[in-house]
């Protein structure tokens, strides 16, 4: 091993709960958040639910000295709510919008309008390149009967794809955000297993904060305790994840969360707790070669686990596909009924018109009201049909990618060489390959 | 320089014009395309406008022996139309949907329903990793007054971002597709300058095909010559682009296009010409160090050109922003007028109802028709408002990213070191920096 060089990075992640006029004490809390960030001078600040650009701009003004570099990610109707503040210069940003994100007609849940996405910023910390990601996944409104689960699993799938494919050139990767998933939830396992990201809470040498690292706790005055049920004390759904590269080792020296209140203030920063992680990077001037055999030993086990997780995710996406197909079918049937009703009405109205002189059997008012109803049904079901078709395409797309991934992982697992000669002997097509985990395509 | 190792890759790109029941001779052309692909055995086949999944599946069946690996990218309402067939195993795929893609109410143009995107596939060719991209950008319906130009520029911006950020780990990058841009169009310059991708037509040692490499030609019987005007002979809008890495050099040995007809067939494969490029990769077992000083010499010039191009793109996006704001304003105003009309109507109807006994001044039929009209106006303008807000957010997001990119490029250009010490001296915020090219933010 060559000589090492150590760099320290302090990261904060906070869901700000910044719905103007709806979130409690919103302006006061933003003022508190601004003061805290100004004083604490974290290297990287990852904020979620900064729904109003005005709030972002006032934070930017306040943090002009402590965090001269920042970016606000715009998306959807309202925005993505994602913002990043940094001490280090941001060289490049990129936004990936999730293909699925709830339903526009579930306006009271509001997720669709937020245009959920993952924002990426490329920073240089010393001589190292850091890829920093901030995201906010679809909320879980009812754990027992979570109709958004397939959407969240696809979001986790796309998140891991995005991080994996965009971080090849980075010396360190940091992801912060409100994942709306418990530590052992499918999407979380998918994300961590595929990307190799480590959970700061689990890896931290020192921890000071809520029990079990919870970030949505019953002690927070903004929390409705009934909504947490059956997790009376709280849940952990906000995370700071990290990983190094072949050039760098990364460690979490300490981690802390707020504990439902802020000293000398009447209320906390948000309904979520703020997370702070102290990361330490050790750079090797030479690429490591030690430890590789040990890594290879556990690689097979990790691959097998990953195959299981992706298969589980695929099942969940199939459930979503089934639901979306059902919904589209219902929309189509309702639309056809609306059309039939319209045709029937016109037929009844046409009878006296054809047999001149006969009195109109329809009261005029009812006629127009019924016609208006038919048109409303037709328009609504048409829009729903379009929407469900898009949902289906996105789910099918994710399912296809997962099938391909499982096939590729299984091939790796079988120990077959991945590299092929330029003119390979022809193989049977994918569908013909024996595959224990994907019997039906 | 170390010993080299040479690998040859043949790539085909074709816009299949596969609109079922609308495109002329669609099934016959697919049969011809399938026969040709089966016979030619290109390493990588990149298809666009395969709008029907059924057509993809029948091609897949036909090419099961010649191209055992394939992927179809699903997106939008109809699909993305993008498909890839490969001799080499596809290990991973990823899809990026462009944030802007025309307007849903421009149904006769259809682009919005296609869910335009860029598809990526990760292949192993020998011991090398190839990132292969296939895309299809928004069509240009009127070059003089191209209302989709800002959308296409944002698509080109997102395309270069996607390729740049996802290709860091690749030994070779290949992009094929219908970019709907002439060689010197803004989006094309943006894409090539930022990513360093080279145009196979320009780099090819040998070329056999249409004059000036044109891919949409007057001699093609499916082409309406009037639509090509003022480019009587045709235009070049389909491309195969490529680049190597620090580990590999890549050369284009030959390139060819079809010439508006296929020998022994009554009509060509499509309204676009098919492109074939013969690429040759030379691998170095050691990373090159020669040639670097020469590259540095031209780096400043390239950076300056890039700043100009991004600034031009930013201007184009601003024009788009201005238009979208105007459209949203019009939608809002029309909505308010619809509401005012409804209120007025209700007020007039309420007068006799309040002054009991007075006769209704309104014929009932007109009353209901007018009310229905008001509701239709309100609903339409509401949907349009939502849509234009999303368009604005996407345009603003791209503009923000471009501003950041210009700043970052200018800093590089000034020769300031990019790498900062861990505790940098505080700088003034971005907005305060003097900037010759971005006087107004």
């Amino acid at each position: 091993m060559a000589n090492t060089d150590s760099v320290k990075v302090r990261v904060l992640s906070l869901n700000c709960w910044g719905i103007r006029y709806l979130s409690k004490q919103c302006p006061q809390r933003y003022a508190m958040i601004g003061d805290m960030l100004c004083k604490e001078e974290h290297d990287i600040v990852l904020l979620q639910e900064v729904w109003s650009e005005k709030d972002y701009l006032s934070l930017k003004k306040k943090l002009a000295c402590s965090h001269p570099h920042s970016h606000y990610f715009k998306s959807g109707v309202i925005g993505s709510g994602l913002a990043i503040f940094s001490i280090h210069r941001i060289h490049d940003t990129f936004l990936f919008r999730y293909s699925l994100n709830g339903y526009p007609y579930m306006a009271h849940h509001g997720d669709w309008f937020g245009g959920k996405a993952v924002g990426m910023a490329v920073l240089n910390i010393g001589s190292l390149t850091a890829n920093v990601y901030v995201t906010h996944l679809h909320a879980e409104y009812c754990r027992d009967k979570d109709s958004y689960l397939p959407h969240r699993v696809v979001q986790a799938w796309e998140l891991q794809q995005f991080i994996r494919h965009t971080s090849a050139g980075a010396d360190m990767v940091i992801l912060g955000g409100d994942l709306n998933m418990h530590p052992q939830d499918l999407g979380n396992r998918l994300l961590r297993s595929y990307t190799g990201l480590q959970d700061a809470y689990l890896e931290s040498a020192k921890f000071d904060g809520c029990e079990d690292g919870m970030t949505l706790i019953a002690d927070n005055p903004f929390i409705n305790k009934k909504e947490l049920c059956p997790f009376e004390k709280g849940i952990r759904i906000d995370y700071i994840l990290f990983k190094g590269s072949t050039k760098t080792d990364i460690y979490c020296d300490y981690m802390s969360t707020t504990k439902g209140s802020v000293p000398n203030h009447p209320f906390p920063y948000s309904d979520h707790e703020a997370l702070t992680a102290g990361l330490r990077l050790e750079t090797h001037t030479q690429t490591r070669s030690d430890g590789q055999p040990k890594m290879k030993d556990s690689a097979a086990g990790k691959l097998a686990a990953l195959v299981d997780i992706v298969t589980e995710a695929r099942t969940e996406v199939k459930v979503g596909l089934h639901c979306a197909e059902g919904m589209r079918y219902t929309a189509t049937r309702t639309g056809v009924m609306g059309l039939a009703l319209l045709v029937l009405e016109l037929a009844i109205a046409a009878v006296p018109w054809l047999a001149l002189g006969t009195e109109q059997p329809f009261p005029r008012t009812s006629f127009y009201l019924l016609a208006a109803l038919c048109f409303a049904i037709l328009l609504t079901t048409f829009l729903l049909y379009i929407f469900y078709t898009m949902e289906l395409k996105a789910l099918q797309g994710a399912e296809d990618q997962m099938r391909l991934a499982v096939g590729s992982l299984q091939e790796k697992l079988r120990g077959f060489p991945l590299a092929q000669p330029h003119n390979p002997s022809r193989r049977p097509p994918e569908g013909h390959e024996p595959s224990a985990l994907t019997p039906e395509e």
Side-chain angles (χ1 to χ4, degrees), chain A:
Chain A
M1 199 187 287
N3 58 322
T4 58
D5 200 7
S6 169
V7 171
K8 289 186 180 186
V9 181
R10 276 177 79 219
V11 184
L12 176 131
S13 174
L14 172 64
N15 178 325
C16 295
W17 192 39
I19 317 168
R20 281 202 161 200
Y21 317 116
L22 283 176
S23 300
K24 286 175 193 160
Q25 267 91 23
C26 200
Q28 295 92 324
R29 289 191 291 105
Y30 268 119
M32 281 166 59
I33 291 170
D35 291 341
M36 178 264 286
L37 294 179
C38 223
K39 192 182 131 212
E40 291 283 337
E41 294 191 349
H42 302 89
D43 292 76
I44 299 161
V45 175
L46 305 170
L47 302 180
Q48 305 96 50
E49 288 210 27
V50 184
W51 292 122
S52 164
E53 199 179 347
K54 280 182 194 156
D55 289 326
Y56 160 74
L57 290 173
S58 69
L59 271 182
K60 183 179 165 139
K61 207 171 162 188
K62 200 166 191 172
L63 303 181
C65 288
S66 63
H67 297 85
H69 310 290
S70 67
H71 191 78
Y72 185 63
F73 294 95
K74 287 170 188 144
S75 158
V77 184
I78 305 170
S80 68
L82 305 173
I84 172 168
F85 289 91
S86 167
I87 281 181
H88 310 279
R89 190 176 180 100
I90 299 172
H91 288 286
D92 216 338
T93 56
F94 190 26
L95 185 72
F96 182 86
R97 289 161 192 83
Y98 298 123
S99 60
L100 288 170
N101 184 35
Y103 305 97
Y105 54 81
M106 298 297 266
H108 59 297
H109 285 170
D111 293 72
W112 186 85
F113 290 88
K116 297 282 170 72
V118 46
M120 168 179 131
V122 182
L123 274 62
N124 275 62
I125 301 180
S127 60
L128 301 173
T129 304
N131 275 25
V132 179
Y133 301 86
V134 56
T135 193
H136 183 194
L137 302 195
H138 198 291
E140 185 184 75
Y141 295 97
C142 170
R143 194 164 175 83
D144 288 337
K145 215 180 161 183
D146 182 14
S147 56
Y148 297 115
L149 183 58
H151 284 212
R152 207 176 309 102
V153 169
V154 171
Q155 290 186 342
W157 173 257
E158 290 176 342
L159 177 60
Q160 69 78 14
Q161 280 187 313
F162 185 70
I163 293 176
R164 212 156 38 85
H165 289 300
T166 54
S167 63
D171 299 310
M172 66 183 293
V173 175
I174 297 170
L175 165 65
D178 175 0
L179 300 184
N180 272 312
M181 300 188 290
H182 295 216
Q184 284 310 310
D185 278 1
L186 174 58
N188 220 330
R189 283 180 284 137
L190 191 65
L191 173 65
R192 278 185 289 129
S193 316
Y194 234 127
T195 57
L197 283 167
Q198 293 183 292
D199 188 338
Y201 170 70
L202 297 177
E203 302 298 324
S204 179
K206 230 165 55 185
F207 177 73
D208 174 34
C210 301
E211 200 183 325
D212 299 327
M214 289 183 298
T215 60
L216 211 61
I217 58 167
D219 288 343
N220 187 307
F222 296 129
I223 293 286
N224 179 346
K225 274 160 206 162
K226 276 181 197 162
E227 282 177 10
L228 283 178
C229 195
F231 305 96
E232 281 162 24
K233 285 187 178 172
I235 51 178
R236 183 157 85 93
I237 57 171
D238 299 80
Y239 299 84
I240 292 175
L241 305 175
F242 61 90
K243 75 171 179 182
S245 69
T246 50
K247 241 175 81 185
T248 52
D249 276 337
I250 186 163
Y251 304 94
C252 185
D253 287 336
Y254 59 87
M255 182 162 183
S256 64
T257 71
T258 50
K259 295 170 191 175
S261 62
V262 180
N264 308 323
H265 283 282
F267 41 77
Y269 297 120
S270 168
D271 59 345
H272 286 244
E273 303 306 316
L275 280 72
T276 306
L279 303 177
R280 177 168 43 87
L281 275 95
E282 304 217 327
T283 325
H284 307 276
T285 45
Q286 283 173 6
T287 310
R288 276 176 314 158
S289 60
D290 59 311
Q292 290 292 75
K294 194 183 153 200
M295 278 170 73
K296 267 193 179 169
D297 282 349
S298 65
K302 277 186 185 168
L303 270 179
L306 193 50
V307 169
D308 287 349
I309 293 169
V310 179
T311 307
E312 198 181 333
R314 215 183 134 193
T315 310
E316 204 50 68
V317 171
K318 276 182 185 168
V319 171
L321 263 172
H322 188 74
C323 283
E325 268 165 5
M327 299 288 266
R328 190 170 72 164
Y329 178 70
T330 307
T332 313
R333 215 174 39 180
T334 313
V336 169
M337 274 164 60
L339 191 66
L341 195 64
L342 189 68
V343 169
L344 191 72
E345 191 195 3
L346 291 175
I348 293 173
V351 169
W353 183 75
L354 290 172
L356 288 160
T358 323
E359 210 188 321
Q360 186 76 16
F362 247 113
R364 208 163 259 218
T365 316
S366 324
F367 180 81
Y368 286 112
L369 279 181
L370 196 59
L373 179 73
C374 291
F375 277 114
I377 289 174
L378 279 176
L379 182 69
T380 311
T381 51
F382 174 72
L383 291 177
L384 283 176
Y385 183 88
I386 296 271
F387 183 81
Y388 288 128
T389 304
M390 288 168 76
E391 186 186 6
L392 273 173
K393 289 273 173 201
L395 284 166
Q396 284 167 353
E399 210 258 330
D400 285 351
Q401 290 172 348
M402 286 175 185
R403 175 155 36 87
L404 193 89
V406 168
S408 182
L409 290 170
Q410 280 173 334
E411 178 152 317
K412 264 190 199 171
L413 202 57
R414 275 185 223 116
F416 288 168
L418 275 175
Q420 293 177 356
H422 176 53
N423 287 317
S425 57
R426 297 278 180 265
R427 291 160 183 249
E430 282 152 300
H432 295 197
E433 280 173 298
S435 164
L437 279 150
T438 55
E440 25 71 75
E441 291 284 303

